[in-house]
Amino acid sequence: MSPPGPVVVLVDAYTSGQYLPPEFAALGAELVHVQSTAELMPSMPAPDLSVYRENIVHEDLVKTVAQLAPYRPVCVMAGQEPGVLLADELAGELGLPANTASLSAARRDKYQMIETLRAAGLHCAGQFKSGDVAALADWAGRNGYPVVVKPLRSAAGDGVFVCATDGEVRAAAAAVLASDTIYGEGNAEALVQSYLHGPEYVVDMVSYEGRRYLCGVWQYHKRLLASGRNIYDREHLLHPDEEPVPQLAAYVEQALDALGVRYGPSHAEVIMTPDGPALVEVGCRIAGNMHPGFHDRCAGGNQAGLTALAWLRPGRFLRDHAGRRYGKRCEAVCCTTSTTLDGVVDHIGRDAVEQIAALETVHRFDLKLAPGDRIRPTVDLYSSTMRIFMCGADMAAIDRDYQRIGVLKDRVYRISESG
C-alpha cells in the first residue's frame, strides 16, 4: 500500500472551486474540506464532498484547528470568495505559508482594498462608505456622476448599480442596505465609488513566495441595463504581447504586493482608464469562469492546475513558471447568457441544446438551471442562464456562433408559469 499523500485543505470550494480537487489529486494529494457556515450556501452550486477525506463544519477557530492538525496539511486555501478570511486564519494558526495576515481584511473588504492601494500610491477610484443613504448620496453629489454603488463584501455583480442621479444613488444604496450578499451576510454599509471610464479586463495569476505566473488576461464585454445593472455578456482572451496586457499585468503585480498576496491564485478586475489601470477588485481564489480543459486548450495551462503545482511542487513552479506568462493558442471567448424569462423551468429544450452543442466553435457549455428551478430576468452573474466556452482559429466564426446562441438561448429553458 502506498503511503498517504500530502493533505490540502480547501475552505468553501464552491463553483469554480470544484476544479481544484482533481488537480491536487493528480499530483498525489488528499483533500479535506472546511465549510465556513453551518449549512451549505444555497446561492452557489455545492461542492462535491465525496472527494474529500472529511468535511469539517467550522464552529470556532480553536476547534477547527484541532480537527485539522492531525492531518498535518501542507496548505490551506480558499476555494471561493467566502473562504478567504477563514483560510488566512487557519493557515496562520497551523504555521503554514500564507498571505500577509495583517492585510487579510483588505483582501476581502472592497473599501479597505482600494484604500490599501491608494496608500501604496496606486491609481484607483475615489470612494466613500456608510450605512446612511443620505450620506452616500451627498458624497456622490459632491464628487460627480456617474458613480457605482455596491456591497462591500459580495461578488459576481451582486448589488452593483451604476447611478447617474441623486435619486438613483438613494434607491441603489437603500437596496444594498436592505439586502444580504450572495453569501448570506447582511450589508451594514454600502460603498459608493467614482465611475472608472474605460474597458474592463480580467487578470488572473498564481503566486508562490511573491513570485507569479500570468495565467491569462481577458477583456470583458458587459451590457448596461436601464435599471443601472451592468451585466456580464462575454470575455475574450488577449494575446500576452498586445496592449494593454503588459500595463495591466505590471499594475496587478503592484496591487497584489500592496495587498500582501504572496501565495495562491488571484482574480483581478481592472479598468484601463485614460490615466492608466485602476483596480475594481481582486479575489484571492481562482476565476469564476475558469475551466481546466478550456484554458489548457486556449492558454496552455489553467489556474487550478497551476495552483496545485505551486503548492505541491513549488520548486518546479518557481523554475518553470514564476515570472512567465501564458501563450494564446487560439481565439477564445467565454460568454454568460442573459434572459428576460420569469417563471419556473418546466423542462429543457433539447433541440436548442443540441443546436448549441453542434456549433463549430462551442468547446463546452454548462446549463445553470434544471427543471423545477426558478428562472428570473438576469441582473448579475448568478442569474445568468448558461456559461459557454468558445474557441477557434477565427474570431469571425466565434462571432457568428455567438449570434446564433443569442437566438437559441431562451429556447433552452421552457417555463411552466410566470410571475
Side-chain angles (χ1 to χ4, degrees), residues 383-404:
S383 52
S384 63
T385 57
M386 289 184 290
R387 183 175 58 177
I388 304 175
F389 298 101
M390 309 174 71
C391 57
D394 183 1
M395 185 59 80
I398 292 177
D399 288 339
R400 178 200 65 218
D401 289 349
Y402 171 80
Q403 296 299 322
R404 181 59 181 159

Side-chain angles (χ1 to χ4, degrees), residues 47-60:
D48 177 9
L49 298 178
S50 69
V51 303
Y52 297 91
R53 287 182 59 176
E54 183 179 0
N55 179 49
I56 295 171
V57 179
H58 176 69
E59 296 177 16
D60 65 72

Side-chain angles (χ1 to χ4, degrees), residues 34-332:
V34 173
Q35 181 179 311
S36 70
T37 53
E39 303 293 335
L40 290 170
M41 298 181 188
S43 60
M44 297 176 287
D48 177 9
L49 298 178
S50 69
V51 303
Y52 297 91
R53 287 182 59 176
E54 183 179 0
N55 179 49
I56 295 171
V57 179
H58 176 69
E59 296 177 16
D60 65 72
L61 190 62
V62 172
K63 182 176 179 181
T64 301
V65 168
Q67 290 173 285
L68 289 173
Y71 287 108
R72 301 180 66 184
V74 296
C75 75
V76 179
M77 63 168 287
Q80 193 44 256
E81 199 73 28
V84 168
L85 295 179
L86 181 56
D88 284 351
E89 288 185 297
L90 293 171
E93 290 293 321
L94 291 163
L96 298 172
N99 294 325
T100 305
S102 61
L103 292 166
S104 184
R107 294 190 289 271
R108 187 77 178 83
D109 180 288
K110 296 174 186 179
Y111 178 84
Q112 293 187 50
M113 181 180 293
I114 297 304
E115 290 307 307
T116 300
L117 265 58
R118 196 185 321 281
L122 296 180
H123 177 50
C124 48
Q127 62 175 5
F128 175 73
K129 68 171 181 173
S130 177
D132 179 62
V133 169
L136 292 161
D138 178 68
W139 185 92
R142 287 186 287 105
N143 285 270
Y145 301 104
V147 297
V148 177
V149 175
K150 58 186 176 183
L152 272 70
R153 287 168 46 121
S154 198
D158 170 51
V160 178
F161 296 87
V162 179
C163 304
T165 67
D166 177 85
E168 290 179 2
V169 171
R170 289 175 182 271
V176 170
L177 292 170
S179 66
D180 292 340
T181 72
I182 56 173
Y183 307 126
E185 301 171 328
N187 290 311
E189 294 180 301
L191 178 62
V192 58
Q193 295 178 320
S194 58
Y195 185 84
L196 297 169
H197 294 273
E200 185 173 359
Y201 300 87
V202 167
V203 181
D204 294 327
M205 293 186 174
V206 173
S207 304
Y208 193 86
E209 293 181 343
R211 299 178 62 195
R212 303 185 178 97
Y213 177 80
L214 178 63
C215 302
V217 176
W218 302 72
Q219 183 173 354
Y220 271 148
H221 302 272
K222 294 183 176 181
R223 289 190 296 114
L224 184 63
L225 304 179
S227 64
R229 307 301 292 272
N230 207 12
I231 63 171
Y232 294 84
D233 190 8
R234 63 175 177 168
E235 57 192 69
H236 77 272
L237 181 66
L238 302 184
H239 191 281
D241 290 329
E242 72 177 284
E243 292 296 339
V245 172
Q247 292 183 68
L248 293 166
Y251 175 87
V252 171
E253 286 256 16
Q254 291 179 295
L256 295 178
D257 286 342
L259 292 165
V261 179
R262 304 189 69 247
Y263 295 92
S266 57
H267 173 67
E269 296 173 337
V270 186
I271 304 289
M272 179 55 76
T273 77
D275 297 318
L279 186 75
V280 177
E281 60 188 69
V282 60
C284 295
R285 37 83 177 179
I286 63 173
N289 279 342
M290 207 288 301
H291 181 274
F294 175 70
H295 283 72
D296 284 346
R297 178 173 176 179
C298 67
N302 75 83
Q303 202 177 22
L306 288 159
T307 296
L309 182 69
W311 280 117
L312 297 178
R313 306 284 191 275
R316 181 176 158 194
F317 175 83
L318 293 172
R319 183 188 70 236
D320 297 342
H321 297 282
R324 300 186 182 184
R325 58 190 182 175
Y326 67 101
K328 182 177 177 180
R329 295 183 169 184
C330 61
E331 298 295 345

